Amino acid sequence: MQASAPKFNIVIIGQNNRLQYEALLFAASLRHSSLDFAGRLFVAVPQAGPRWPQDPSLHDEDALKALRQLDAEILPFENNVFGHSYPYGNKIEALQALPEGEPFVFFDSDTLITGDLNSVPFDFDRPSASLRVEGTWPKPTLYGPGLHGIWEALYRKFGLDFESSQDTSQPVDYWRRYLYFNAGFFFYSCPRKFGERFLNYARTIRDDDIPELAGQNLDPWLDQAALPLVIHSFGGGRDALPSGLLDGSVSCHYRLFPLLYARESDHVVEVLETVAAPNRVKKVLKAYDPIKKLVLQRKGHKIRDMFDRDNLPKREQVIRNQIRNKGLWMR
């Protein structure tokens, strides 16, 4: 008899901007695609405070009602370190508000669940994150150290073993040799422990004088600079999940709706349009133009018809430019 999948919670960020609409689509897709998911779904919401010039919290009653009808729990949290200056820090600070000692998976809000999450063999004692990533950081400067020297300095800064983190089948100074993740999803056995260390590492990288980081741009890459170090420190790595499930058949981190229609599978589009259709969801989504026009008015199919998904341009910028030229780029 097969052991039952471990129970875990999910957390996404909701905010008084496009994220509230993406959060609603995430919740609807979770309930549509993963009927047996037994954990709790938290929509973590930053609260008004000195780190925000305007109130970032959710006030749209229709959106809040629709989220609750989908069994999403609104989870307020405070920004003590980041906030408006670095909104990506929400995914770090929100972890402190989650139930201590309960396994969690964080997903970026611009994600759809497209399959059964219980089919993903999470080992919550071995954290990992999304490998749908390119070598976006660091970018070595002319007179500074290469990738090897930069990453070595960071591992040394936090007392971590650098050698064991490397994929030695890849050449020195090639980005794939070093642990590097997209922070579109990540998981661990305890959000408080993970969040505390993530916050400590990110704040230290931002604030301390680390000579090897001179000339490195940390906005928006700070979370992705710190995340590999956190995962390695807890005994996780790049091989903690089989490929093809998350960022594959079970989830889709689409990022922007025009890119979704250009690149993603027919199944992803079908899930999106199916979960956006019920009135309680649709009446909320209509307030956000990219969803209203591309999804509800089906103009996304004009984008879809422009591309062969088996032969897409290699550079995302080329895709964006082609969509712009047709007047269909919306975000």
Side-chain angles (χ1 to χ4, degrees):
M1 181 175 167
Q2 190 175 7
S4 61
K7 189 173 173 180
F8 59 92
N9 300 322
I10 292 173
V11 60
I12 59 176
I13 303 296
Q15 204 169 321
N16 186 23
N17 55 21
R18 66 178 171 82
L19 293 189
Q20 65 187 324
Y21 307 109
E22 294 172 352
L24 179 54
L25 281 171
F26 180 97
S29 70
L30 172 67
R31 301 311 179 197
H32 171 79
S33 301
S34 195
L35 296 173
D36 296 328
F37 174 69
R40 299 161 75 184
L41 168 61
F42 292 102
V43 178
V45 178
Q47 299 300 289
R51 300 199 174 272
W52 295 100
Q54 287 149 348
D55 184 356
S57 61
L58 292 183
H59 299 289
D60 184 323
E61 287 302 326
D62 286 335
L64 289 165
K65 181 180 178 183
L67 284 165
R68 291 187 181 108
Q69 286 173 331
L70 291 161
D71 291 328
E73 301 180 44
I74 305 301
L75 183 72
F77 72 93
E78 303 293 333
N79 292 100
N80 297 310
V81 176
F82 298 113
H84 176 73
S85 65
Y86 187 68
Y88 296 95
N90 280 338
K91 68 180 68 177
I92 301 174
E93 295 198 78
L95 300 179
Q96 293 299 318
L98 287 167
E100 188 168 8
E102 295 185 13
F104 77 96
V105 184
F106 169 89
F107 285 102
D108 269 347
S109 307
D110 51 356
T111 300
L112 293 172
I113 300 302
T114 54
D116 180 10
L117 273 173
N118 290 331
S119 70
V120 181
F122 291 107
D123 177 353
F124 287 100
D125 292 324
R126 289 199 66 222
S128 195
S130 172
L131 290 169
R132 191 178 182 182
V133 67
E134 297 176 355
T136 45
W137 191 92
K139 296 291 186 192
T141 58
L142 186 59
Y143 298 108
L147 264 67
H148 196 90
I150 292 169
W151 282 117
E152 184 177 27
L154 286 172
Y155 280 79
R156 189 171 63 242
K157 176 76 175 176
F158 298 105
L160 302 173
D161 178 48
F162 178 50
E163 296 303 318
S164 62
S165 73
Q166 296 173 54
D167 177 355
T168 53
S169 70
Q170 303 288 345
V172 170
D173 277 332
Y174 178 56
W175 71 272
R176 289 192 185 277
R177 184 181 178 97
Y178 312 101
L179 271 190
Y180 193 56
F181 301 99
N182 184 315
F185 76 78
F186 52 84
F187 60 88
Y188 187 55
S189 59
C190 176
R192 303 276 183 94
K193 290 179 182 175
F194 195 93
E196 184 179 6
R197 192 166 296 177
F198 202 175
L199 184 62
N200 174 33
Y201 284 11
R203 181 164 47 186
T204 301
I205 292 168
R206 183 192 69 177
D207 295 346
D208 281 19
D209 180 19
I210 303 173
E212 291 83 358
L213 265 58
Q216 293 301 319
N217 185 8
L218 290 166
D219 189 358
W221 312 117
L222 177 60
D223 60 335
Q224 292 188 188
L227 184 58
L229 307 167
V230 179
I231 285 172
H232 186 65
S233 75
F234 283 117
R238 57 177 68 80
D239 59 347
L241 277 183
S243 61
L245 297 174
L246 297 187
D247 292 330
S249 62
V250 175
S251 72
C252 172
H253 185 200
Y254 57 86
R255 291 180 35 236
L256 296 160
F257 292 101
L259 293 179
L260 185 157
Y261 277 98
R263 300 193 296 203
E264 304 300 345
S265 69
D266 290 347
H267 177 63
V268 170
V269 173
E270 181 187 354
V271 169
L272 169 64
E273 295 181 348
T274 299
V275 304
N279 279 330
R280 68 183 181 185
V281 175
K282 183 162 60 175
K283 74 177 183 180
V284 177
L285 298 178
K286 281 194 301 188
Y288 184 56
D289 257 6
I291 297 177
K292 178 184 176 181
K293 293 178 179 177
L294 296 179
V295 182
L296 302 178
Q297 296 176 358
R298 298 181 68 83
K299 290 181 181 175
H301 288 269
K302 292 182 180 179
I303 296 173
R304 199 152 184 79
D305 292 342
M306 290 165 54
F307 297 96
D308 173 4
R309 266 148 302 282
D310 294 325
N311 189 28
L312 285 167
K314 287 188 168 53
R315 289 178 55 241
E316 183 181 296
Q317 194 59 48
V318 175
I319 299 174
R320 289 172 176 242
N321 290 342
Q322 288 185 34
I323 298 170
R324 274 197 186 91
N325 289 340
K326 295 292 186 182
L328 292 166
W329 183 260
M330 304 170 202
R331 62 170 304 169

